[in-house]
Amino acid sequence: MVDKDDAKDLIDRARRWLAEDPDPDTRAELSALLDAEDLDALRDRFAGLLRFGTAGLRGELGAGPSRMNRAVVIRAAAGLAAFLREHGKGDGLVVVGYDARHKSADFARDTAAVLTGAGLRAAVLPRPLPTPVLAFAIGHLGAVAGVEVTASHNPPRDNGYKVYLGFGYPEPGEGAGAQIVAPADAEIAAGIEAIDALAEVPRTEEGWTVLGDDVLQAYVERAVSVLSPGSPRTARVVHTALHGVGTQTVTAAFARAGFPAPVPVAEQAAPDPDFPTVAFPNPEEPGAMDLAFATARAHEGVDLVVANDPDADRCAVAVPDASAAAGWRMLTGDEVGALLATHLLRRGERGVFAESIVSSTLLGTLARAAGVPHAETLTGFKWISRVPGLRYGYEEALGYCVDPEGVRDKDGITAALLVTEFASVLKEEGRTLSDALDDLARAHGLHATAQLSARVSDLSLIPAAMDRLRQSPPERLAGLAVTAADDLALPKDGLPPTDGLRYTLGGPAPDGVTPPAGGNTSAPEGVRGRVVVRPSGTEPKLKCYLEIVLPAGLPVAEARERAAALLAELKRDVGQAAGV
């Protein structure tokens, strides 16, 4: 039975929220719930304020403090303004960008109104544009901060709010134009929580600047500069924006670079916030690339398929493969990461090559072989972008930073340009990206990666799985001994603490441990592996990152077959150990 006092308190809170909600759509939603006395739905929307963290805000659209809506965004913008004033940037410029999702333009306008009302100078990008354009504009315009309204590759019902700083914080001079990290997130969150009522937040009806296309043109010019002067520009590409905002910018960049015009996936080229042709607007999701592959099959002479996620900060690549059912094979993020690194190293680029701890160990091998520094960070470009001396950074989730001086974040457009340049260079040599991957396997051993991702409806299942692994860590996985088990919640390798577990596989078994019945006993000598388990920072998922490394010298086809079998066994064993 529902406690009457609790129900009354809930209804009173909902009515107070309704009284100051500036959006007629969410007002209508909340009024209907109150009229119906739908206490369950009200509890869901008033379970607490949507948490502001290092990813900013991200959540389902709807009424109430637990949803993404104009009232929540106004508070977030006020918290950011208070943070900037506290750090002596109260009269600085803040650039605001937005994608084409539902309510994105409204959230951008509300942000500009709050920032202007707080005494800051706000400049809004001229229309829905890729997130990398916003990240570029911060440095290009000398802004003290930037806001991007986007939920990236989340489902259609979601939206989000990502904050960048144009000055070094917490480390002076580091991370300018990068996403926020602690303690900035906590300081902004404190500013948000200090707001009692929206009436306290000054907002203007005008006074901010709407930028022109010159900022976009400057971004395109900078993006094309990642290419080598005089390099081949012959590779033909099929491109999909997955109903996001990437098509026009990618087309302009490819034209400026002198590549053949990308063949668009017509059904997915225009922005559509409902993402009608895909279950999830993420190139990694099953079926998301089907229309792109069909387009590629319908056009002669296509060398690769390139996909951006809806805000175009990620880049997926597929290559022809006669053995695949679709005739095309999606490369993993780690494979693309290794190809881009190989191309940059072949060009003689120097500086730090960095990756997140969940990405393949191959990058470290390539860096050591080339005599360049290598660094590992926690997951996310908010960490990768802060590596001192960064020349190249990537993470396995299709994120690549190939021009850190121009865009200190992942950028799916410059990555698309660079991988197409490498494909063009190889094409002139009569070779392909697949050939380059085979070369890497022969020279450095085959590094094969996969992911086990468990989406949950009950969020309590994620900490339960992490507790289970901490209490009963596995001793063997895929028949390989677990030779090291690191709890990343404790300081390790200079990394800040994070909720994660890392297992190193291979080598002799610990004393007294024998392989379980039915365990793999056919792995080739010298095989290694690694598993990292962590909760997703943006979705209700437990993510397990798997890697198998087979030694150099094996025939590549045989190595790939063995690695696939070991990864399948590893996925099964990790799932059982985590209880997912």
Side-chain angles (χ1 to χ4, degrees):
M1 181 177 292
V2 177
D3 184 280
K4 291 184 179 179
D5 290 338
D6 289 345
K8 181 178 183 303
D9 177 66
L10 177 62
I11 290 171
D12 287 345
R13 283 189 289 135
R15 284 175 175 160
R16 287 196 299 272
W17 185 276
L18 177 63
E20 63 176 15
D21 189 338
D23 189 332
D25 293 335
T26 46
R27 284 178 58 82
E29 174 189 336
L30 195 50
S31 294
L33 295 176
L34 284 166
D35 290 345
E37 296 186 354
D38 190 337
L39 297 180
D40 288 339
L42 289 171
R43 279 196 198 91
D44 193 36
R45 287 158 175 77
F46 285 81
L49 189 64
L50 192 64
R51 187 176 65 86
F52 189 97
T54 53
L57 296 170
R58 194 174 292 187
E60 186 176 348
L61 291 163
S66 297
R67 293 284 193 271
M68 278 295 298
N69 52 64
R70 291 182 60 197
V72 165
V73 165
I74 289 168
R75 284 178 163 83
L80 173 60
F83 168 85
L84 293 173
R85 287 196 303 269
E86 182 69 22
H87 288 272
K89 310 294 182 182
D91 60 351
L93 173 68
V94 182
V95 188
V96 182
Y98 58 103
D99 66 10
R101 285 177 177 266
H102 294 294
K103 297 292 182 180
S104 286
D106 293 339
F107 295 165
R109 185 172 55 253
D110 282 330
T111 299
V114 171
L115 295 171
T116 304
L120 289 141
R121 293 175 292 123
V124 182
L125 292 181
R127 58 183 176 278
L129 288 169
T131 293
V133 178
L134 179 278
F136 165 80
I138 295 168
H140 179 67
L141 298 175
V144 299
V147 172
E148 177 70 13
V149 179
T150 181
S152 189
H153 56 280
N154 275 37
R157 63 181 181 273
D158 290 356
N159 213 326
Y161 198 84
K162 186 183 294 186
V163 175
Y164 296 75
L165 294 183
F167 59 96
Y169 185 76
E171 297 296 330
E174 291 184 13
Q179 297 176 48
I180 58 169
V181 296
D185 57 337
E187 293 179 25
I188 296 171
I192 295 170
E193 291 167 7
I195 299 164
D196 183 39
L198 283 192
E200 298 176 4
V201 180
R203 283 177 280 162
T204 64
E205 295 296 326
E206 55 186 15
W208 59 86
T209 300
V210 177
L211 296 167
D213 279 349
D214 52 333
V215 173
L216 177 59
Q217 291 165 4
Y219 167 79
V220 170
E221 289 292 328
R222 178 74 200 198
V224 172
S225 74
V226 305
L227 305 175
S228 294
S231 63
R233 312 280 169 94
T234 57
R236 294 195 65 210
V237 169
V238 162
H239 175 259
T240 176
L242 290 183
H243 301 292
V245 296
T247 297
Q248 290 185 351
T249 308
V250 167
T251 301
F254 270 63
R256 181 69 184 84
F259 287 113
V263 178
V265 178
E267 302 93 330
Q268 299 173 334
D272 188 329
D274 293 319
F275 306 106
T277 69
V278 291
F280 288 93
N282 181 349
E284 296 174 294
E285 292 287 345
M289 297 290 285
D290 288 353
L291 287 172
F293 294 159
T295 303
R297 290 193 299 270
H299 289 77
E300 293 290 334
V302 173
D303 298 295
L304 65 163
V305 172
V306 171
N308 292 123
D309 66 339
D311 69 328
D313 65 349
R314 301 181 190 223
C315 176
V317 178
V319 295
D321 186 341
S323 67
W328 288 80
R329 178 174 78 87
M330 269 280 288
L331 301 183
T332 66
D334 286 314
E335 288 175 320
V336 177
L339 288 170
L340 290 172
T342 299
H343 184 43
L344 290 171
L345 291 169
R346 280 177 44 151
R347 289 183 0 184
E349 301 287 349
R350 289 296 179 263
V352 180
F353 280 54
E355 63 184 322
S356 63
I357 58 172
V358 299
S359 303
S360 172
T361 57
L362 177 56
L363 184 66
T365 300
L366 295 175
R368 286 188 294 274
V372 302
H374 171 254
E376 283 189 319
T377 74
L378 295 184
T379 306
F381 266 84
K382 58 183 178 285
W383 300 111
I384 294 172
S385 66
R386 282 178 161 73
V387 172
L390 180 68
R391 175 57 190 89
Y392 169 68
Y394 99 93
E395 64 181 0
E396 55 75 41
L398 309 182
Y400 315 96
C401 177
V402 302
D403 178 25
E405 295 303 314
V407 176
R408 211 163 181 84
D409 196 15
K410 56 184 177 289
D411 183 344
I413 295 165
T414 50
L417 289 168
L418 199 64
V419 77
T420 305
E421 179 184 55
F422 192 23
S424 298
V425 170
L426 293 168
K427 187 176 182 178
E428 295 296 303
E429 299 171 357
R431 305 172 69 248
T432 66
L433 294 175
S434 295
D435 294 329
L437 288 171
D438 289 349
D439 290 345
L440 292 176
R442 281 187 282 266
H444 304 290
L446 179 68
H447 292 62
T449 58
Q451 189 180 127
L452 171 63
S453 183
R455 185 181 292 270
V456 300
S457 55
D458 180 357
L459 290 177
S460 68
L461 295 175
I462 294 176
M466 296 298 291
D467 288 343
R468 175 173 175 164
L469 288 169
R470 286 188 168 101
Q471 294 297 323
S472 302
E475 295 179 333
R476 300 187 74 86
L477 292 168
L480 300 171
V482 176
T483 55
D486 300 319
D487 188 341
L488 300 175
L490 306 173
K492 183 72 177 177
D493 300 332
L495 298 171
T498 189
D499 187 10
L501 299 164
R502 179 173 59 191
Y503 303 108
T504 303
L505 314 179
D511 291 342
V513 175
T514 56
N520 187 310
T521 58
S522 62
E525 185 177 353
V527 67
R528 297 180 284 113
R530 190 199 58 187
V531 174
V532 179
V533 183
R534 59 178 284 271
S536 170
T538 56
E539 298 177 272
K541 288 182 177 181
L542 182 71
K543 293 186 140 183
C544 308
Y545 305 85
L546 319 174
E547 181 173 32
I548 290 291
V549 183
L550 275 70
L554 291 172
V556 174
E558 178 185 341
R560 292 194 188 283
E561 185 177 343
R562 292 192 184 189
L566 284 167
L567 283 172
E569 191 169 351
L570 188 57
K571 187 177 292 189
R572 181 202 67 196
D573 289 356
V574 170
Q576 289 178 350
V580 296

